[in-house]
Amino acid sequence: MIRLGVNVDHVATLRQARRIDTPDPVQAALLAERGGADGITVHLREDRRHIQERDVELLRERVRTKLNLEMAVTEEMVRLAERFRPDDACFVPERREELTTEGGLDVVAHRARIKEAVKRFQAHGIRVSLFIDPERSQIEASREAGAHGVEIHTGRYCDASGDKTRELEQVAAAAALAHRLGLEVHGGHGLNYQNVLPIARIPEIVELNIGHSIVARAVMVGMERAVGEMKQILRTARE
Ligand code: PXP
């Protein structure tokens, strides 16, 4: 079966809105594992807007499935990843000039730097995938950079309104090419309960990383119970 990596960044986004210690992305990760997640994904951003270094440290200790660290290809991030030793790393663009027009990492333009970072990671036994648009040139460059795999950016497919056939075919063709070149194929970005199925049916894709829609759904399915628990406490105040 296809693997599900659950991205808990947005649990940390909610915590950082108050700069206190709840909700805790580590606790969310453990609950996600209980729900069947095959891996936990977090993105340590340069501005630390959601996930903090301490979160990654704790996740490294407590995640029992596998930990996938998304990060920019900067010297600072490479050093942090060498310290945290995630099972997997996914290189994503952080600055505008590293982005392709659609939003994936521009491996063609930054091939040498990416190749060097991939080599350092793989020497530590960390598998590296590159988050790229579904384009032949980016897939071929990823292969040349020595990556273990690619994560195909599904944003264009998710954002397309109406008939998504063309965008779906682009993802499917990219997955087939990457697989033929010996790359492991993942997908992610913008996937939700309504649009995930056609992507999950692409046979070469072995892993999907999904964050926002799952965290958003968790808020909704948990709301009734959360309010009920608060009402129960209030009831006891006047007993
Ligand atoms: N994969 C990568 C490489 C990402 O950067 C993100 C967003 O952080 C995701 C998957 C998850 O995207 P979403 O939150 O839209 O499900």
Side-chain angles (χ1 to χ4, degrees), residues 171-188:
V171 176
L177 172 63
H179 181 73
R180 260 203 317 280
L181 294 179
L183 294 159
E184 188 170 295
V185 190
H186 306 168

Side-chain angles (χ1 to χ4, degrees), residues 23-32 59:
D24 177 13
V26 180
Q27 191 185 1
L30 302 183
L31 289 169
L59 286 165

Side-chain angles (χ1 to χ4, degrees), residues 20 62 76 99 101 179 194:
I20 52 175
R62 304 202 54 196
E76 183 208 10
L99 278 170
T101 45
H179 181 73
Q194 286 75 43

Side-chain angles (χ1 to χ4, degrees), residues 41-216:
T41 295
V42 287
H43 183 180
L44 185 64
R45 300 189 72 102
E46 284 182 281
D47 64 6
R48 308 291 193 271
R49 78 174 72 141
H50 38 56
I51 291 294
Q52 308 297 306
E53 286 173 38
R54 181 76 183 135
D55 296 324
V56 184
E57 235 166 60
L58 291 172
L59 286 165
R60 176 63 296 179
E61 282 171 24
R62 304 202 54 196
V63 162
R64 287 285 163 264
T65 51
K66 68 184 178 104
L67 180 62
N68 175 32
L69 184 61
E70 292 174 359
M71 44 177 281
V73 197
T74 62
E75 186 53 35
E76 183 208 10
M77 288 297 165
V78 170
R79 264 191 279 108
L80 285 172
E82 285 173 338
R83 186 176 117 211
F84 296 132
R85 303 287 179 94
D87 302 286
D88 297 343
C90 180
F91 291 167
V92 299
E94 181 112 9
R95 289 187 292 268
R96 291 249 38 106
E97 67 268 21
E98 295 169 329
L99 278 170
T100 61
T101 45
E102 297 294 339
L105 183 65
D106 195 346
V107 187
V108 174
H110 301 279
R111 198 179 318 220
R113 187 155 58 91
I114 292 170
K115 189 172 184 168
E116 182 55 35
V118 167
K119 208 158 75 187
R120 280 172 66 179
F121 275 45
Q122 304 209 353
H124 291 297
I126 303 168
R127 293 176 293 245
V128 178
S129 67
L130 307 178
F131 182 51
I132 55 163
D133 291 331
E135 283 171 15
R136 170 177 286 275
S137 59
Q138 298 294 344
I139 294 163
E140 288 170 349
S142 300
R143 171 78 186 77
E144 279 172 44
H148 175 77
V150 286
E151 178 162 323
I152 299 174
H153 194 319
T154 50
R156 210 187 314 172
Y157 158 80
C158 295
D159 292 344
S161 51
D163 184 10
K164 294 174 182 290
T165 311
R166 206 179 60 120
E167 290 78 11
L168 181 63
E169 281 170 1
Q170 285 168 345
V171 176
L177 172 63
H179 181 73
R180 260 203 317 280
L181 294 179
L183 294 159
E184 188 170 295
V185 190
H186 306 168
H189 207 283
L191 296 171
N192 62 33
Y193 296 83
Q194 286 75 43
N195 64 21
V196 72
L197 214 48
I199 295 287
R201 287 192 175 121
I202 296 172
E204 293 85 2
I205 298 184
V206 297
E207 178 176 310
L208 294 176
N209 283 297
I210 307 181
H212 188 272
S213 63
I214 291 178
V215 173

